[in-house]
Amino acid sequence: MPAATVEEIVSGIAVLAGATGRPLRLMEVCGTHTVAIFRHGIRALLPGSIQLLSGPGCPVCVTAAADVEAAIELARSGTVTLATFGDMMRVPGRRESLAEARAGGADVRIVYSPLDALALARREPSREIVFFATGFETTSPLVAGTLAEAERLGVANFSIICVHKTVPPALAALLGSGEVRVDGFILPGHVCTVTGVAPYAFLPERFGKAAVVTGFDARDILAGVAMLLAQLAAGKPAVEIQYTRVVRPEGNPRALEILGRFFEPCDAHWRGIGTIPGSGLALRGQFAHRDALRRFGLERPEVPEPAACQCGAVLKGIKTPPDCRLFGKACTPERPVGACMVSSEGSCAAYYKYHDTGTAAAGQAAP
Ligand code: SF4
Ligand code: SF4
C-alpha cells in the first residue's frame, strides 16, 4: 500500500482532532524537531486546537552556566587544553563564554567528535586535554567509546568534564512538577535509536500521556502527530514508534552496553530547570582518573541564571520565547543572554529566526 501523502495525513489529523473534541498540547522534546517544525511550517498545517510546545531537548540549552564556568576555569588554568563541540562556544558562563575566554588567551579548541579530542591528547602528550562532554544519549555512547579507546591505548593525559544528561528523568520531572500541561510527546528519534522505547513506558503508565518516537522530516512529524491524536482520540495512551526505519524498540544494545560500562546515573543540574534526580551520567568509580574536575581538584562553581532570562519556563513548555521580555531586544542570536538563544536548535533562536516568516503559528502563544 502506498504511504499516505502529506495532504492525507493533514486531513486525517483534522478528523482526529475533531474526534478528541478538546484542545491538545503536544511537546516536541528534541531541538531538531523544534527547528524542523518551524522550517516546514508545520504549525500552520495543524488545526487551531493543537498547540505544539518546545521541550528541554537541546543539549546546549540545558548545559548549566556553572558547568560552562568550570570548563572556562580549566581552560584558563594554563596547563589544560579544553576541547569542545563548537556549539558550546557561545553559551554564557558567569561573565563570559568559552569563545570569549579563548579570545582572552585560554586554550579552547573546537572538535567535531570526542575521538578528535583523544587524537589531540595523543599528539600533544605534554598537555592535559579535557573534553567537555555534553549532550544526551546520542552523544554519551560516543564518549564512552572514546574513553574505552583511551583506556586501551593508555592515554594518560585525557579526561572529561562529564555533564551528560538523559531525557526520560527530565520528562518525568516536568510532569511530576504539575506545572506543565502536556497531552502527548513527540519523542526524540536519535535518542531513542540508542535507548529504545522502554525508558518512556512511564509516560502512558504513570502519567497517562501519549508518546510517539518521530523522525525529522515534515512527513515524519505530521505522521507522528497523527499517531498521537489517534492514541488520544481512542483514550489509549502508549509509546509508539513512527520512525521505524531507524528506531528499534530495544534500541542499540551495543551502545547501551558501553554506556553502562563507563557511566552510572547521577543527579544533574539542568539550566533554567534545576537539579533533576537521576538525570545525569557520572563516570563510574574505576574511571575516576578520567574525571577532569576531580583530577584538577576543581569544585563546580555556583553561578546564578541571568536575571530576567526565562529559559527555564521556555524549556518546561510553560512559556514561549516571545514571553521573555529580553527576547529580540537584549537577547539575540548575536548577543545571547540565555542558552536557548545560542544553539540553532534552541527554542528562542528558532523563534527568532522563523517567527516573522509566517511559519510560526499566530495564536499559538503561551497559555
Ligand atoms: S542529539 Fe538528536 S535527539 Fe538529541 S536533541 Fe539533538 S537532534 Fe534531538
Ligand atoms: S530570550 Fe534569551 S533571555 Fe529570554 S528566555 Fe530566551 S534565551 Fe533566555
Side-chain angles (χ1 to χ4, degrees):
M1 209 173 67
T5 63
V6 164
E7 290 71 24
E8 286 166 344
I9 299 171
V10 168
S11 22
I13 287 174
V15 172
L16 287 164
T20 63
R22 62 188 169 98
L24 296 174
R25 292 157 59 92
L26 308 179
M27 175 178 273
E28 82 274 0
V29 176
C30 162
T32 305
H33 277 142
T34 299
V35 172
I37 285 166
F38 275 113
R39 190 183 298 129
H40 299 303
I42 283 177
R43 283 182 166 83
L45 297 174
L46 299 179
S49 60
I50 299 176
Q51 185 179 8
L52 292 183
L53 302 165
S54 304
C58 169
V60 178
C61 298
V62 298
T63 298
D67 295 319
V68 174
E69 198 57 33
I72 290 174
E73 264 188 54
L74 275 183
R76 275 211 215 99
S77 68
T79 50
V80 168
T81 296
L82 196 279
T84 178
F85 293 135
D87 55 6
M88 290 305 302
M89 289 295 283
R90 294 188 312 119
V91 178
R94 193 196 320 253
R95 278 178 296 270
E96 61 181 1
S97 63
L98 281 163
E100 287 160 334
R102 179 166 74 171
D107 189 358
V108 182
R109 304 200 207 162
I110 294 175
V111 290
Y112 296 97
S113 120
L115 280 168
D116 294 346
L118 181 61
L120 192 59
R122 296 184 73 197
R123 273 201 311 276
E124 302 191 28
S126 59
R127 282 197 75 74
E128 287 286 341
I129 308 297
V130 174
F131 178 64
F132 193 20
T134 56
F136 297 128
E137 293 93 326
T138 28
T139 320
S140 42
L142 303 177
V143 174
T146 304
L147 291 167
E149 193 61 0
E151 290 291 295
R152 188 180 72 79
L153 297 168
V155 183
N157 60 327
F158 179 75
S159 56
I160 66 171
I161 299 175
C162 187
V163 295
H164 285 305
K165 295 179 174 59
T166 52
V167 173
L171 300 188
L174 289 192
L175 291 171
S177 73
E179 288 179 283
V180 186
R181 196 174 71 66
V182 178
D183 300 287
F185 288 90
I186 297 171
L187 293 178
H190 297 149
V191 164
C192 294
T193 307
V194 172
T195 63
V197 292
Y200 296 91
F202 72 93
L203 288 171
E205 286 167 10
R206 201 166 120 213
F207 293 103
K209 304 300 177 190
V212 175
V213 182
T214 305
F216 294 91
D217 65 28
R219 202 184 160 284
D220 284 334
I221 296 170
L222 287 165
V225 169
M227 289 168 73
L228 283 171
L229 294 191
Q231 289 183 23
L232 292 165
K236 290 189 179 149
V239 185
E240 292 181 294
I241 304 173
Q242 179 277 329
Y243 202 27
T244 47
R245 60 189 190 275
V246 175
V247 177
R248 303 265 163 281
E250 69 280 12
N252 180 335
R254 280 186 60 201
L256 289 172
E257 185 280 319
I258 198 158
L259 198 57
R261 199 178 337 143
F262 282 87
F263 297 116
E264 61 189 353
C266 67
D267 297 348
H269 190 86
W270 294 58
R271 189 168 198 135
I273 296 179
T275 300
I276 301 180
S279 68
L281 294 176
L283 279 163
R284 289 192 180 276
Q286 68 264 42
F287 302 109
H289 55 290
R290 301 285 176 192
D291 180 339
L293 296 192
R294 189 188 279 231
R295 185 170 176 135
F296 299 103
L298 194 67
E299 293 285 321
R300 190 175 172 280
E302 283 297 317
V303 180
E305 304 290 340
C309 172
Q310 299 289 316
C311 280
V314 168
L315 290 165
K316 290 181 199 165
I318 297 170
K319 291 189 172 174
T320 56
D323 297 325
C324 173
R325 62 186 165 83
L326 306 185
F327 178 80
K329 301 182 189 89
C331 183
T332 62
E334 292 72 39
R335 292 192 65 80
V337 175
C340 296
M341 193 58 100
V342 174
S343 156
S344 59
E345 291 189 355
S347 308
C348 295
Y351 261 78
Y352 187 86
K353 184 166 176 198
Y354 293 102
H355 207 59
D356 291 328
T357 65
T359 54
Q364 289 216 3

